[in-house]
């Protein structure tokens, strides 16, 4: 297990369409997932997509009980989600702050579907089918955007609400954000 370098915005590998996973529960896949959790926890992230470490597969992880980078966020179950499909469950849009480990030091307000269903597979190939809302729905939409080459700044509609984390949120410990 090891912590990987997280690619930063500007790297063309973050703009690719990720390939579907075809083999589940292999030693290589389990090692990759373990490395992704190590990398996410080391960066105190709420989620991580495989393309962020240069692996062009439809694989994301997310979840936390309490997150230092998002102290207001409710817990999200620790999840491995492979070959995901997201379907909005209503037209309702919610705006809230997001950051990204590939866009260090910045935050922006991003409109997302308030309530979505997501399906896919876990690390053993078992199906996942959940209806979620709020921050959980936001995290899933953010992570799955990485699989289609979209970073959250590309979703911002009001750039007056985009800036440096230490200016916007001086109460956050800068050590918790990069
Ligand atoms: Ni991200």
């Amino acid at each position: 297990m090891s912590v990987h370098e997280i690619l930063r915005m500007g790297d063309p590998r973050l703009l690719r369409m990720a390939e579907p996973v075809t083999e589940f529960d292999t030693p290589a896949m389990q090692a990759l997932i373990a490395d992704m959790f190590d990398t996410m926890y080391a960066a105190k992230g709420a989620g991580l997509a495989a393309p962020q470490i240069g692996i062009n597969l439809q694989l994301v992880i997310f979840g936390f009980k309490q997150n230092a980078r998002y102290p207001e966020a409710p817990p999200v179950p620790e999840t491995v989600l492979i070959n995901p499909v997201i379907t909005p469950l209503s037209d309702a849009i919610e705006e809230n702050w997001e950051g990204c480990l590939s866009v260090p030091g910045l935050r922006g307000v991003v409109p997302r579907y308030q309530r979505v269903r997501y399906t896919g597979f876990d690390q053993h190939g078992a199906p996942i089918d959940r209806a979620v809302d709020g921050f959980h729905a936001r995290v899933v939409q953010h992570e799955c955007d990485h699989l289609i080459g979209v970073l959250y700044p590309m979703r911002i509609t009001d750039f007056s609400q985009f800036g440096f984390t230490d200016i916007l949120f001086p109460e956050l410990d800068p050590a918790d954000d990069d």
Side-chain angles (χ1 to χ4, degrees), residues 145-160:
D145 263 356
H146 281 294
L147 307 181
I148 56 170
V150 172
L151 300 169
Y152 83 82
M154 297 154 75
R155 299 278 192 202
I156 291 176
T157 55
D158 176 3
F159 280 93
S160 71

Side-chain angles (χ1 to χ4, degrees), residues 84-99:
V85 175
I86 296 180
T87 313
L89 290 175
S90 85
D91 292 334
I93 300 292
E94 189 170 272
E95 300 204 319
N96 211 337
W97 292 95
E98 288 184 24

Side-chain angles (χ1 to χ4, degrees), residues 8-9 21 51 56 65 84 88 128 134 140 145 150 162-163 166 172:
R8 289 182 300 147
M9 185 169 61
V21 170
N56 199 34
K65 289 192 182 71
I128 293 176
V140 174
D145 263 356
V150 172
F162 180 52
D166 60 335
L172 289 182

